[in-house]
Amino acid sequence: MNKADNMTKYSLRSWVLVLALAPTILVGILLGSYFTINRFYELEETLIEQGGNIIEPLAIAAEIGLEKQDFETTKKLITAAQLNKSSLVQFIAIFDTENRVIVTSHHYKDHELMRYDQPLSSLMRTELEQVGDSLILRSPIFSSDHELKLTNFDDRDSQQLSAAKLGYIAILVNKENSLLEQHRAAVAAFIIVLIGVQLNLLFTFRLVKNVTQPITEMVRVVAKIREGKLDTRVDGNLIGELDLLKRGINAMASSLSEYHDEMQQNIDQATSDLRETLEQIEIQNVELDLAKKRALEASRIKSEFLANMSHELRTPLNGVIGFAKQLLKTPLHTSQQDYINTIEKSATNLLEIINDILDFSKLEAGKLVLENLPFALRELVGDTVTILSNSAREKDIELVIDIDQSIPEALCGDPMRIGQILTNLIGNAIKFTDSGSVHLSLKLTDGTKDKVNIRCEITDTGIGIAPQQQEILFQAFGQADSSISRRFGGTGLGLIITKRLVNRMGGQIGCNSKANEGSTFWFTLPLETSQYPVGHFLTPEKLLNRSILLVEPRELSNKALLKQFQHWGMKTTNIGSMGQLAECSLSGSKKYDYAVVSCKALNPDEDSTEQLKSIKELSQFVLYLVCTNEQDTHAIFDTVDKILLAPVNEKVLAETLIDPKPDTSSPHQLEEHTQVEPIARENLNVLAVDDNPANLKLIDTLLKELVSQVTVIDNGQGAVNIAQERSFDLIFMDIQMPGTDGISATKQIRQHSLNRNTPIIAVTAHAIAEEREMIQQSGMDGYLPKPIDEAALKSVINRWKTRPKFTHFDPFTLNWELCLTQANQKPDLALDMLKMLVASLPETTDQIKQALEEFNQESMLASVHKLHGACCYCGVPTTQKLCQEIESSLKRGSAVADVEPEILELLDELTKVESAANQVISQLSTDVIDDNQTRLL
């Protein structure tokens, strides 16, 4: 665009002058320069040729005088030559082989310039040297005895030529005449170019007059035609092509007038076609919208299919697993118990397969939502390993937990999914290991104040995996060997689910393995640190400088326990066998505060009781670790103070050592006692609703063992009717029922009945996230999945039996169930977070008000961001939503005044939250404390 503008700055006259003169001047200068320079070179070559024609005959003629040393004759010769060509030759000198001057044509003050400054042997032909405005030519003088030819001496031997050389002759040639001729040539060229330019200028002005003026007139006519004056024409008699151009412009003006009407018609036609095209596009958009709706409908149908499949499969499994557990409580002989255990394990395995398929389907559909909750890492790992440790003890496998002490305990993430990852990987390691060990190691690879990056490695000594088989490990339904599914079982979904969960959390996963040498599965997870304390570890400072005797022959377990004791600052004596214990007892009468003894350390050929007594004599408190399910603890129970199952949870180990209380009964005695001891039933009136007879019978049976009065109904409308007539302490409601389903029944009970504030727990086999969200939004208070687990049912009853009636505030202002969910179902932690929020509200409110008065965007953003972070863990949906809206608007650059209505609404909501939270805290503080004490007992 700028180039075109620059071109239009100059008139046509200027362009014609420039384009006509510039080439002529340029060509004239180039031609003049070319011929001048060529003339220079010709004069230079002529001068050199003249000098050569003089010096070479003189070199031949001087040979006789030099051989006979007749210098006088030679001088006459060169003097005559110099005088004959005095206008060209200034001075002639002859030098001998020693580079000395022999003869000169006359006296010359700078005769030293004539001397050859290179070795004389290199002068084999006539050479030229430029000295100022003069030329010096030098030619060798050879003896005639050798019949030398100056033009063909290159073919002879150089040594012979050097021997035949008598000297050389030098001539100083004057270049003044040549330079004068060069200057004359340059002046002549300049005059010729100047005359040519003047002639070109004359013709150029004539051309400008006859061409540019008509063209200027044509430009004026074209401008009028462009303005729409199509009757304008170019007049006058013009020459050559300009006359043709004039006729063309006039014809163009006539044609434009004709085309104008035709163009208007085309525009109208194009407009009509465009309307039709837009209509077609609109039809296509409608079709695309319908296709999108069909895709969404297909996704909805898939979700419904998953929900229905989950319900249809879990419903019969609920009866199978539940009644199998109930049957185990009845008197049975050994074979019957074995059969029932097999039924229960098979049904549980089938349930795990169903859960894997559903998890994989949710991951495929992108429906799996990860939570971000605070959790205690070591407690989570300990609970996960405890569930799997029984399988390791059955196979007599060493299962070891090794957690880097630099990893913080309180982290934020999805504890359930992290536990699922650990369960899959550790479970696989145990399943594919027949002997040896399974080592779980957690290390801190990178960490800041707010974030940490953890690397977890699970190493086993199992069957291993060949390199070519590792490529399909993390593929759906893939296993390293197709025969493995027959030997070990499984769907092949565990690793692909684990991989996708790790990737969704922002981590990576991989495997290092060799066939028959074991495997190492590793994954990394970036996690945030929790700003709230999670977990209640007892202070290990009480163990500082305490002495402890560790008797553990297994290397991995020994290192893990030793590192833990050293971290607590304990003085550890580490031995690996009872033989070393004898040496330790002989070395002195030292008494240890504690002794930790592994069952693997005892000599099987000797009496276990006597071996433990010898350890008891050396320590005040003996902790015995059971490493296998075949270990009989009845015989050794009286010789030790505490019996724990290996691997020992770090928290359990710390509590045991800090408060060393001897066991009153062995683990086996406790197990047998719990099987026959009758359970004290709660004085509660419970309503159970389910349309499946088997499930209704099962929940009736389970509830009658836990509560005093149970009422069962097999349909939703019957539940609504009885809820209007009788008051209940707790209601268990199935979701999917014919007629009035569980959600509709709940809404009717909440609207008009005697149980408007009664806790209603959803009992359903649905497992997808959408169903759970719908259940929470329907007015139900809790969720109990099928198959019903007796421990989970008891936990629900204990949680809701003393539930306070929160009727004085909106559940969207404060939702206690959401508090529990965000605190990983830990009432004490949820209560602590709520207390912290209430304590921070006055200061936060003042900061927001001050920022609002000053319209300080930076201060407002900082205050709202801090409040938003606290709301994420305290179950205040409305406050959290308002904080998110305000924070997002401020980050987009909105002013404080633009979000003033939302800020004022937030301040009002904080007042409601403070009032509701104080009510909840006052009603629940005592209950949480009592519940904690009960669980510690």
Side-chain angles (χ1 to χ4, degrees):
M1 187 68 182
N2 293 332
K3 184 177 179 181
D5 292 340
N6 292 332
M7 293 180 66
T8 57
K9 288 180 180 179
Y10 305 101
S11 64
L12 180 61
R13 176 187 176 88
S14 301
W15 280 107
V16 170
L17 289 174
V18 171
L19 295 178
L21 290 175
T24 303
I25 295 173
L26 180 61
V27 171
I29 292 173
L30 291 176
L31 290 176
S33 300
Y34 170 75
F35 288 114
T36 301
I37 294 172
N38 190 43
R39 180 61 178 165
F40 284 3
Y41 283 134
E42 288 178 355
L43 292 173
E44 186 79 16
E45 291 175 356
T46 301
L47 182 65
I48 294 172
E49 184 179 357
Q50 290 176 354
N53 292 335
I54 296 172
I55 193 172
E56 290 178 358
L58 286 177
I60 296 172
E63 175 260 332
I64 298 174
L66 291 180
E67 283 185 343
K68 295 180 179 183
Q69 294 185 352
D70 186 359
F71 301 127
E72 187 65 26
T73 303
T74 302
K75 180 175 178 64
K76 292 178 179 180
L77 176 65
I78 61 176
T79 301
Q82 190 268 331
L83 292 175
N84 186 34
K85 297 290 184 179
S86 60
S87 62
L88 180 66
V89 179
Q90 287 182 304
F91 182 69
I92 301 175
I94 297 176
F95 296 83
D96 61 5
T97 55
E98 299 297 330
N99 211 6
R100 293 174 298 183
V101 178
I102 300 175
V103 180
T104 61
S105 61
H106 62 278
H107 176 72
Y108 187 69
K109 60 180 180 180
D110 292 331
H111 67 274
E112 289 297 328
L113 293 174
M114 311 291 287
R115 193 184 304 277
Y116 189 58
D117 58 356
Q118 301 293 330
L120 196 59
S121 59
S122 63
L123 183 63
M124 305 301 293
R125 64 175 65 185
T126 301
E127 293 185 1
L128 174 69
E129 181 182 357
Q130 294 277 358
V131 179
D133 293 337
S134 302
L135 291 176
I136 298 177
L137 283 83
R138 300 182 183 91
S139 180
I141 302 173
F142 295 100
S143 173
S144 61
D145 295 339
H146 296 274
E147 298 179 355
L148 297 174
K149 295 182 180 180
L150 295 175
T151 59
N152 197 30
F153 67 86
D154 290 338
D155 298 330
R156 296 183 176 272
D157 185 79
S158 61
Q159 293 181 356
Q160 294 178 0
L161 294 174
S162 298
K165 188 181 297 183
L166 299 177
Y168 66 92
I169 183 171
I171 298 178
L172 183 65
V173 179
N174 187 7
K175 293 176 61 178
E176 292 180 355
N177 294 332
S178 177
L179 292 174
L180 182 60
E181 291 295 329
Q182 288 176 353
H183 292 159
R184 290 175 180 173
V187 171
F190 175 76
I191 293 173
I192 292 172
V193 170
L194 184 60
I195 294 172
V197 170
Q198 290 176 346
L199 291 174
N200 178 262
L201 188 62
L202 178 64
F203 288 112
T204 300
F205 280 108
R206 185 67 179 175
L207 177 67
V208 168
K209 181 179 180 181
N210 293 331
V211 174
T212 58
Q213 290 180 354
I215 291 177
T216 303
E217 178 65 17
M218 292 178 187
V219 170
R220 183 186 64 81
V221 171
V222 170
K224 289 186 176 181
I225 293 174
R226 186 180 60 183
E227 293 174 358
K229 299 177 180 179
L230 301 179
D231 56 345
T232 307
R233 299 292 184 269
V234 180
D235 299 326
N237 297 322
L238 303 179
I239 61 174
E241 285 80 2
L242 291 178
D243 186 64
L244 296 177
L245 181 60
K246 179 193 73 172
R247 296 177 184 178
I249 293 175
N250 293 336
M252 179 188 67
S254 300
S255 299
L256 284 176
S257 181
E258 297 175 1
Y259 292 154
H260 184 268
D261 296 333
E262 184 179 353
M263 182 179 63
Q264 187 63 42
Q265 294 176 358
N266 292 336
I267 291 174
D268 295 339
Q269 182 64 35
T271 304
S272 177
D273 294 341
L274 180 60
R275 289 196 186 97
E276 294 179 1
T277 304
L278 291 176
E279 290 176 358
Q280 293 178 358
I281 293 175
E282 186 175 357
I283 293 173
Q284 292 178 354
N285 288 336
V286 172
E287 292 176 352
L288 289 175
D289 186 58
L290 292 175
K292 179 182 178 182
K293 291 181 179 179
R294 285 194 294 269
L296 293 175
E297 179 66 15
S299 177
R300 185 189 64 80
I301 292 173
K302 178 181 178 181
S303 299
E304 288 184 357
F305 168 74
L306 289 176
N308 292 332
M309 183 179 70
S310 171
H311 183 274
E312 296 301 326
L313 293 175
R314 290 169 181 265
T315 297
L317 281 178
N318 180 45
V320 173
I321 297 175
F323 281 111
K325 291 181 178 179
Q326 290 298 112
L327 191 57
L328 285 173
K329 299 178 182 179
T330 62
L332 300 170
H333 54 72
T334 305
S335 59
Q336 289 175 330
Q337 288 183 347
D338 184 53
Y339 299 155
I340 299 301
N341 283 326
T342 303
I343 293 173
E344 193 268 337
K345 289 181 180 179
S346 299
T348 303
N349 290 336
L350 179 58
L351 181 62
E352 292 178 356
I353 293 173
I354 294 172
N355 290 335
D356 284 345
I357 295 175
L358 290 174
D359 283 343
F360 179 72
S361 300
K362 287 186 284 186
L363 285 168
E364 282 287 316
K367 297 291 186 179
L368 189 67
V369 179
L370 297 177
E371 297 179 334
N372 189 26
L373 308 175
F375 68 94
L377 175 66
R378 289 169 178 79
E379 185 175 342
L380 172 65
V381 173
D383 294 342
T384 303
V385 174
T386 300
I387 297 173
L388 301 170
S389 60
N390 187 57
S391 300
R393 288 193 297 270
E394 286 179 354
K395 303 176 73 171
D396 196 13
I397 296 173
E398 181 183 10
L399 182 57
V400 182
I401 306 174
D402 186 6
I403 302 178
D404 189 354
Q405 296 298 332
S406 60
I407 300 177
E409 175 66 7
L411 300 174
C412 288
D414 193 330
M416 184 184 74
R417 295 303 177 184
I418 296 175
Q420 183 178 358
I421 294 171
L422 292 174
T423 301
N424 283 338
L425 295 180
I426 300 174
N428 281 346
I430 295 173
K431 180 166 66 174
F432 296 113
T433 302
D434 294 328
S435 63
S437 63
V438 174
H439 184 205
L440 170 63
S441 173
L442 274 78
K443 299 178 181 178
L444 182 66
T445 58
D446 185 22
T448 61
K449 181 180 179 181
D450 301 325
K451 294 183 179 180
V452 295
N453 198 343
I454 297 176
R455 179 182 176 91
C456 178
E457 295 183 357
I458 296 94
T459 305
D460 63 67
T461 58
I463 61 176
I465 306 169
Q468 63 272 17
Q469 296 171 338
Q470 296 179 20
E471 298 178 358
I472 63 172
L473 276 180
F474 296 101
Q475 297 180 6
F477 308 102
Q479 290 179 323
D481 186 356
S482 58
S483 62
I484 287 180
S485 61
R486 292 181 176 269
R487 178 183 175 190
F488 295 99
T491 61
L493 291 175
L495 287 179
I496 182 61
I497 292 174
T498 300
K499 177 180 176 62
R500 295 195 179 185
L501 286 175
V502 171
N503 292 340
R504 284 285 302 276
M505 295 180 185
Q508 295 179 339
I509 188 171
C511 172
N512 301 317
S513 179
K514 292 183 180 180
N516 302 319
E517 294 185 13
S519 306
T520 297
F521 282 85
W522 60 267
F523 66 89
T524 60
L525 282 183
L527 299 172
E528 298 179 358
T529 57
S530 175
Q531 56 180 321
Y532 299 104
V534 183
H536 298 278
F537 275 86
L538 299 177
T539 54
E541 289 80 6
K542 297 181 180 179
L543 301 177
L544 186 63
N545 295 326
R546 294 289 187 93
S547 60
I548 186 169
L549 175 64
L550 175 60
V551 188
E552 173 60 81
R554 299 176 299 176
E555 182 178 357
L556 294 176
S557 298
N558 187 292
K559 287 183 179 179
L561 290 172
L562 181 62
K563 183 165 44 173
Q564 188 63 65
F565 295 150
Q566 291 176 348
H567 174 69
W568 289 335
M570 303 181 72
K571 298 178 180 179
T572 309
T573 301
N574 184 16
I575 61 176
S577 65
M578 296 303 295
Q580 296 178 4
L581 177 66
E583 298 176 1
C584 183
S585 59
L586 292 174
S587 61
S589 58
K590 180 178 179 180
K591 191 77 169 180
Y592 296 96
D593 296 317
Y594 309 98
V596 177
V597 185
S598 170
C599 65
K600 295 293 184 179
L602 301 182
N603 191 343
D605 298 331
E606 299 180 8
D607 186 10
S608 300
T609 305
E610 295 299 326
Q611 296 179 67
L612 291 173
K613 285 182 178 179
S614 61
I615 296 177
K616 181 66 175 176
E617 293 176 357
L618 296 175
S619 61
Q620 298 178 3
F621 185 84
V622 178
L623 177 61
Y624 186 70
L625 302 182
V626 178
C627 310
T628 173
N629 289 342
E630 298 178 358
Q631 178 72 32
D632 185 11
T633 59
H634 293 282
I636 63 174
F637 181 70
D638 295 333
T639 58
V640 298
D641 298 298
K642 189 81 171 180
I643 299 177
L644 294 177
L645 298 176
V648 185
N649 190 323
E650 181 180 341
K651 177 182 177 182
V652 174
L653 183 61
E655 290 177 346
T656 303
L657 297 180
I658 292 173
D659 188 15
K661 294 181 181 179
D663 279 338
T664 57
S665 58
S666 69
H668 291 283
Q669 291 173 336
L670 288 174
E671 183 179 354
E672 295 171 0
H673 181 68
T674 54
Q675 291 180 355
V676 298
E677 181 182 2
I679 300 176
R681 296 188 295 175
E682 301 288 347
N683 185 20
L684 298 175
N685 184 11
V686 177
L687 172 64
V689 186
D690 200 310
D691 66 315
N692 187 282
N695 289 337
L696 190 61
K697 184 177 181 180
L698 174 62
I699 195 171
D700 182 29
T701 303
L702 294 175
L703 285 173
K704 286 180 177 178
E705 295 179 357
L706 300 175
V707 300
S708 59
Q709 187 174 355
V710 179
T711 302
V712 294
I713 297 293
D714 62 356
N715 62 86
Q717 188 58 46
V720 175
N721 296 335
I722 197 172
Q724 294 175 351
E725 300 172 359
R726 295 169 54 185
S727 176
F728 296 95
D729 297 309
L730 194 60
I731 298 176
F732 289 91
M733 180 73 69
D734 186 25
I735 297 298
Q736 186 170 341
M737 294 184 293
T740 304
D741 59 16
I743 294 178
S744 300
T746 299
K747 292 180 179 179
Q748 295 182 38
I749 292 173
R750 293 297 189 210
Q751 289 175 358
H752 47 79
S753 73
L754 299 177
N755 298 274
R756 297 178 62 183
N757 298 316
T758 300
I760 300 179
I761 309 300
V763 182
T764 179
H766 292 292
I768 61 176
E770 290 84 348
E771 289 291 337
R772 297 189 181 184
E773 292 178 2
M774 183 176 63
I775 289 170
Q776 292 177 351
Q777 295 174 1
S778 66
M780 294 187 175
D781 300 282
Y783 178 88
L784 183 63
K786 293 179 182 178
I788 299 175
D789 182 69
E790 186 176 1
L793 180 61
K794 184 178 180 181
S795 175
V796 170
I797 293 175
N798 289 335
R799 182 189 303 172
W800 295 100
K801 65 181 180 181
T802 57
R803 175 181 181 270
K805 304 298 187 295
F806 300 140
T807 59
H808 303 294
F809 55 83
D810 188 351
F812 289 98
T813 297
L814 178 60
N815 190 327
W816 174 244
E817 282 311 301
L818 185 58
C819 290
L820 288 175
T821 301
Q822 293 173 339
N824 202 17
Q825 301 300 331
K826 296 181 179 180
D828 49 353
L829 177 60
L831 197 59
D832 289 342
M833 291 181 178
L834 199 57
K835 290 179 179 178
M836 284 195 235
L837 176 64
V838 173
S840 66
L841 284 182
E843 181 182 357
T844 302
T845 303
D846 293 339
Q847 292 174 353
I848 293 176
K849 289 181 178 179
Q850 183 176 359
L852 181 60
E853 292 176 357
E854 300 173 354
F855 291 101
N856 190 330
Q857 184 181 11
E858 183 177 354
S859 176
M860 179 65 72
L861 181 59
S863 302
V864 174
H865 176 73
K866 181 179 178 182
L867 178 61
H868 188 198
C871 293
C872 293
Y873 304 103
C874 295
V876 284
T878 302
T879 304
Q880 184 177 353
K881 180 180 179 182
L882 289 171
C883 288
Q884 183 178 3
E885 292 176 355
I886 296 172
E887 185 178 359
S888 300
S889 299
L890 293 176
K891 285 183 177 180
R892 288 195 299 266
S894 300
V896 176
D898 297 335
V899 292
E900 185 175 0
E902 289 82 359
I903 296 174
L904 295 176
E905 185 179 355
L906 175 62
L907 292 173
D908 293 338
E909 187 65 23
L910 291 180
T911 304
K912 299 177 184 178
V913 168
E914 186 174 10
S915 175
N918 287 328
Q919 181 188 159
V920 173
I921 292 171
S922 63
Q923 294 187 41
L924 287 181
S925 295
T926 305
D927 297 334
V928 172
I929 294 173
D930 293 341
D931 184 58
N932 287 335
Q933 292 175 351
T934 302
R935 286 190 283 111
L936 289 174
L937 289 177

